[in-house]
Amino acid sequence: MRLNDILDKVSEYATDADLDTVMRAYVFSARAHAGQMRKSGEPYLIHPIAVAGILANLRMDVDTIAVGLLHDTMEDCLTTHEELAEEFGEDVADMVDGVTKIGKLEFRTKEEAQAENFRKLILAMAKDVRVILVKICDRLHNMRTLEHMQASKQRAIAQETMDIYAPIANRLGLSKVKTELEDICFQYLHPEVNETLTRKLGEGAGQREAYIGRTAQALRDTLEDRGLPAEVNGRSKHMTSIHRKMVAQNLTFEQVHDLMAFRVFVSDVGQCYTALGLIHATWRHVPERLKDYIATPKSNGYQSLHTVVFGPEGRQIEIQIRTHEMHRVAEVGIAAHWKYKEGHLALSRDDLGKIARLRELFEAASEVDDSDEFLQTVKVDLFADEIYVFTPRGDVKFFPKGATVLDFAYAIHTAVGNTCTGARVNGRMVPIRTPLQGGDTIEIIRKSDQKPSRAWLEYAATGRALSKIRRVIREEERQKGRETGEQMLDNELRKRGYVLAKLVKQGRITDVARAHGQHDPEGLYAALGLGSLPMKKILGELVKPEELEQEPEEDVGSLVGLIRKLRRRSESPVLINGESDVMVSYARCCNPLPGEPVAGFVTRGHGISVHRKECPNLLASDPNRRINVQWSSDAGGTHPGELRIVCADIPGMLADIGSACKAIGVNVTRMEARAIDDDKALFTLEVSVTDVEHLGRLMRSVERIDGVISVDRVRQVAAG
C-alpha cells in the first residue's frame, strides 16, 4: 500500500480528516529510517507504511495511523519522546512510547519474556487501547513476511502470536485480523498437518467452489422470491478453524462435513430473523447449532445469527445472518463506533480506558506480581469460547466455556467468592464446582465461615477467580510461616535466657525487623519461618556474641543451610544455586522434563520439589518458598511422559504407533487402548524419554501416521 492509498482510505470514512498529520508522520518516518533495510532486503520504510495501511483498513483515527508510521522511530532511530511530542502532540508521542516499551523488554528466558510481554500488553491496553491495536497490526505485517526469518525464530514468533496476539485481537473484535494471524501461525507451528490439510482441501477445491456458487445463488433466490433482497457470499472455512474442530470433536478431515460457510447480509435486525425463518422453512436445520448472537452479543460486540442446515444436495453448511453494520463491527471491532473530529478520535483518555469487558484483564495485570502466574490465569479468559448466564435480577454475565459456579461468585465480588458454598442454578441446588451452561440463572449461596481451599483451584476456570483464590492460600501460608518463625525465634531465645515478649515490648524486635526491610515483628517472623532470613543473623543482633555458641552448628533457617541439610550423595540433573547434589523430587502434578522451564519449591522435610514453571500448583504456592532451578547441561537418565492419542479404529494402528516409538528410541512402559465410538480409538501411552524434545519428536512422528487425529501430552502420570 502506498501513502496515497492510505490517505484515500482515511478520507472515505472520515471526510473531514486532518491528513496533514499522516503526511508529516510519513516524512518523519522516511527521514528516520533512511538507509535501513529489512531482512527481505527491502527498504525498512515499507514496514511502517504497511502497518499504517492495516490500521487504515481498520478505520482508525489519524493519530493512530501516524503512530503506525512512527512506531519504530524511537527504538531503531533514537528519536526522543520530546521530539515526537513537539512535532505530533503528547498523545502520539505517548502511544509510540508505549509500543516501543513493549518491544524493548529484555528477560532471562523466552518464557519469562512471553509472560511479562503479555502483562505489559494488557496494562498498555488499560491506558490507551490504541497502543495494542498498533502492536497487533505491527505483528500482522511481520507475520506476513515471516519467511525471511531464520527457522528457529519463525516457530518462536508464531507461538507467541498464537498465544498472545490472536486471542487479544479476538477480544477486541478484530475477527479478520485474528483469523489471518492464526492461519499464518498454523503454517509454522504445524507444518506437516498444514501441508496435509492444504493438499486435501486442494483436491476438492474445484468442486467446492462450484458448490459455493450454486448454493449462494440458491440462498439469494430463496430470499428474493419471498420479497427479501439480500447479499450472499460463501467461502471455504479457514485452516485453523477446520483443524480446531477436528481436534475438539476427534474427527478426521473426511468427517468434517461443514467445510463451507455462507454469510447473508440484510438491512435491519427484523430482516435477520425473517431470513432465518425462510432458510429454516426451506432446508432442515440442526437445532443444537443455532446461535443467536444478536439478542445476546459476544463480549467483544459481535452480533450475528448462526445456523447449520442441510443445504442443496443434502450437504451440511453453516450460515451467518447479519446486517451490514454488524459485519462492519465484526471486521473492525471496538473501533466500529468511535467518533472522529477532523480524523482525530473524539474520545477522552478515560473513555479509552473503559473498553467493555476487558477490565478484568486490567485488574489481573495490576494485581498479580508474578508474570508467569498472570499469563496462565488470563490465557483461559482470552482463548475459551464464551457463554452467558444471568443474575437473579436478569443482568447478563459472560464467562469462558468451562467456567463454574465458583467463577460466577468471584465475578460478583471477591467476598462473595470467598464465602461461596454452592448455588441455585435455575432453582436447583448445585455445588460450587458445577459448570455453567448458557442461559442459566445463578443465585449464589454463602456462609460466613467458609473460606477458599487449595481444591478450589481445580474448580475455577477464570483468571479473576484463580488469582483471588491463590491470594487467600498464600496469605494462609504466610500466616503459618509467621507462626512457625515466631515459635522458632522464641525457642532459640529461651535457650539463651531471653524472653521474646519482653524484647517485643522493649521495641528491639521491631528495630531488628526494620533493619531487615520488614515493617513489624510479624514480617520478621514470616521471613524466619519461610527461610528467607537466617536465624543466626537475627540472633546475633539480639543476644550477646558468646551466647551464640549455644546455637546448633547448621543454620537451617536460611536457604543455603536448608540446601546443605538436603544434600545427598547421588547427583541430580537439576541444579540449585549451581549445585547438583541436593535432594529433589519431581512433582507428579506436572511431571517436568529436561529442556522445559522449571522452578523449585522448598517443601517441609522432603527436599526441593521441581515443577514446570506454569504448573497451577506452583503458581498457587507462596512465592517466598519458590527458588530458581535449572536443568544440568548433562542431565541424563529417562523421565516419565504420557501421551493421549485419538485415532481411527483400524487394524495395524497399534503396530504403527509402536514402530514410531522404536524409531525414535522411546521405551513404552505402559499402553492402554479403548474404543471411544464406532470408528475411533483412544490410546494412552506411558513412555520413558530423555527430555521434552525427545517427547516432542515422538509426538510429531505419531502425528504423521495415517489415521491419527490428535496427539496430546498428559501432564500427570499415574504413580506406579
Side-chain angles (χ1 to χ4, degrees), residues 440-460:
D440 282 347
T441 298
I442 317 293
E443 180 185 357
I444 296 298
I445 299 169
R446 303 170 61 189
K447 193 174 180 181
S448 60
D449 60 353
Q450 174 74 304
K451 64 179 182 179
S453 69
R454 191 171 288 275
W456 285 23
L457 294 170
E458 300 296 324
Y459 305 154

Side-chain angles (χ1 to χ4, degrees), residues 360-566:
E360 284 188 13
L361 290 179
F362 304 156
E363 286 179 24
S366 58
E367 289 180 0
V368 178
D369 293 327
D370 187 286
S371 52
D372 283 320
E373 176 186 334
F374 173 74
L375 179 61
Q376 297 306 315
T377 54
V378 303
K379 254 187 179 182
V380 65
D381 295 339
L382 287 173
F383 272 113
D385 293 334
E386 287 186 322
I387 59 170
Y388 65 90
V389 296
F390 298 99
T391 68
R393 293 190 298 183
D395 296 330
V396 178
K397 297 283 185 181
F398 288 89
F399 291 92
K401 197 170 183 179
T404 65
V405 162
L406 190 58
D407 293 300
F408 180 91
Y410 276 105
I412 299 301
H413 194 277
T414 300
V416 175
N418 287 341
T419 56
C420 175
T421 60
R424 291 186 181 89
V425 176
N426 305 324
R428 182 173 60 87
M429 290 286 294
V430 299
I432 60 174
R433 63 179 178 273
T434 304
L436 302 175
Q437 304 295 326
D440 282 347
T441 298
I442 317 293
E443 180 185 357
I444 296 298
I445 299 169
R446 303 170 61 189
K447 193 174 180 181
S448 60
D449 60 353
Q450 174 74 304
K451 64 179 182 179
S453 69
R454 191 171 288 275
W456 285 23
L457 294 170
E458 300 296 324
Y459 305 154
T462 60
R464 177 183 176 86
L466 288 167
S467 64
K468 300 297 184 184
I469 295 166
R470 285 172 178 149
R471 176 172 291 185
V472 173
I473 292 171
R474 284 179 189 153
E475 183 51 42
E476 287 185 350
E477 288 188 351
R478 278 192 285 268
Q479 179 59 35
K480 290 177 182 176
R482 285 192 287 267
E483 294 171 359
T484 301
E486 183 177 11
Q487 186 65 51
M488 289 166 54
L489 184 58
D490 188 39
N491 289 342
E492 294 298 326
L493 288 169
R494 285 182 184 277
K495 291 177 186 177
R496 296 160 175 82
Y498 292 82
V499 178
L500 177 60
K502 188 174 181 179
L503 295 178
V504 171
K505 190 173 182 180
Q506 293 171 350
R508 291 183 63 190
I509 299 296
T510 300
D511 291 342
V512 171
R514 289 175 178 169
H516 290 279
Q518 305 296 332
H519 296 295
D520 51 31
E522 295 291 305
L524 178 67
Y525 302 150
L528 287 170
L530 297 171
S532 57
L533 272 180
M535 181 65 72
K536 183 176 181 178
K537 186 171 183 62
I538 301 304
L539 286 174
E541 298 175 24
L542 292 170
V543 306
K544 296 175 181 177
E546 61 269 19
E547 293 170 333
L548 281 178
E549 296 176 3
Q550 301 175 40
E551 186 194 18
E553 186 175 314
E554 185 67 83
D555 170 24
V556 296
S558 69
L559 182 58
V560 173
L562 180 60
I563 290 175
R564 287 176 183 160
K565 184 182 177 184
L566 297 175

Side-chain angles (χ1 to χ4, degrees), residues 652-683:
M653 183 58 70
L654 179 59
D656 289 342
I657 293 174
S659 296
C661 293
K662 184 177 180 180
I664 301 297
V666 170
N667 182 41
V668 179
T669 56
R670 180 174 61 88
M671 178 182 283
E672 294 178 2
R674 63 183 175 88
I676 53 178
D677 61 23
D678 291 340
D679 58 357
K680 287 192 287 294
L682 172 65
F683 285 83

Side-chain angles (χ1 to χ4, degrees), residues 108-313:
R108 292 187 298 268
T109 67
K110 289 187 296 183
E111 292 73 22
E112 182 182 334
Q114 187 188 80
E116 186 61 15
N117 242 342
F118 198 5
R119 188 162 176 261
K120 293 291 185 181
L121 286 169
I122 300 299
L123 288 170
M125 278 201 294
K127 185 176 180 181
D128 190 332
V129 74
R130 292 177 295 176
V131 172
I132 191 60
L133 287 168
V134 175
K135 194 65 184 175
I136 288 172
C137 294
D138 173 40
R139 179 54 61 100
L140 177 57
H141 184 249
N142 283 332
M143 292 302 295
R144 287 174 176 174
T145 57
L146 197 59
E147 72 270 14
H148 300 294
M149 299 293 289
Q150 295 177 358
S152 59
K153 289 189 175 182
Q154 289 174 342
R155 184 175 178 85
I157 294 171
Q159 190 64 60
E160 183 184 57
T161 303
M162 186 68 91
D163 286 347
I164 296 177
Y165 291 94
I168 291 179
N170 183 52
R171 281 297 292 264
L172 295 176
L174 308 175
S175 61
K176 191 173 182 180
V177 171
K178 171 246 187 187
T179 298
E180 185 177 354
L181 286 173
E182 286 186 338
D183 281 352
I184 298 173
C185 290
F186 191 73
Q187 297 174 30
Y188 293 98
L189 295 176
H190 305 284
E192 297 92 351
V193 180
N194 180 74
E195 184 179 345
T196 300
L197 290 181
T198 301
R199 174 172 49 79
K200 291 185 175 182
L201 282 168
E203 289 170 355
Q207 294 179 341
R208 206 159 36 250
E209 290 302 316
Y211 179 83
I212 287 172
R214 294 195 302 273
T215 302
Q217 189 59 52
L219 278 167
R220 277 188 220 99
D221 294 344
T222 296
L223 298 175
E224 290 180 1
D225 287 349
R226 292 165 175 79
L228 183 61
E231 180 184 333
V232 180
N233 62 41
R235 58 177 173 80
S236 294
K237 286 193 172 181
H238 297 281
M239 191 82 71
T240 312
S241 173
I242 295 170
H243 183 252
R244 189 173 287 137
K245 182 169 185 175
M246 289 170 61
V247 172
Q249 299 182 23
N250 295 327
L251 302 175
T252 63
F253 175 81
E254 289 71 24
Q255 291 172 317
V256 180
H257 299 300
D258 52 342
L259 290 171
M260 293 159 287
F262 295 84
R263 286 182 181 146
V264 175
F265 301 99
V266 292
S267 299
D268 56 47
V269 172
Q271 290 184 352
C272 289
Y273 289 101
T274 300
L276 180 68
L278 293 174
I279 290 169
H280 283 182
T282 305
W283 294 291
R284 180 167 60 91
H285 75 288
V286 182
E288 60 270 20
R289 299 288 300 277
L290 176 61
K291 307 289 184 184
D292 186 349
Y293 294 119
I294 294 179
T296 309
K298 291 185 178 183
S299 62
N300 59 17
Y302 175 88
Q303 288 185 292
S304 191
L305 295 175
H306 290 198
T307 188
V308 174
V309 302
F310 292 91
E313 304 170 27

Side-chain angles (χ1 to χ4, degrees), residues 588-650:
R588 301 294 291 179
C589 53
C590 59
N591 287 290
L593 292 174
E596 59 188 342
V598 288
F601 180 75
V602 181
T603 66
R604 301 187 189 279
H606 299 287
I608 309 297
S609 177
V610 179
H611 295 253
R612 296 173 66 247
K613 280 194 90 170
E614 68 268 29
C615 172
N617 285 337
L618 176 72
L619 294 174
S621 67
D622 189 335
N624 293 313
R625 292 174 64 191
R626 299 182 209 162
I627 61 174
N628 290 325
V629 303
Q630 63 187 89
W631 295 103
S632 170
S633 59
D634 58 349
T638 59
H639 297 257
E642 188 169 320
L643 299 181
R644 184 176 288 122
I645 303 166
V646 176
C647 58
D649 190 3
I650 56 177

Side-chain angles (χ1 to χ4, degrees), residues 563-575:
I563 290 175
R564 287 176 183 160
K565 184 182 177 184
L566 297 175
R567 277 227 177 108
R568 61 183 183 184
R569 291 181 181 176
S570 60
E571 290 197 352
S572 162
V574 175
L575 299 178

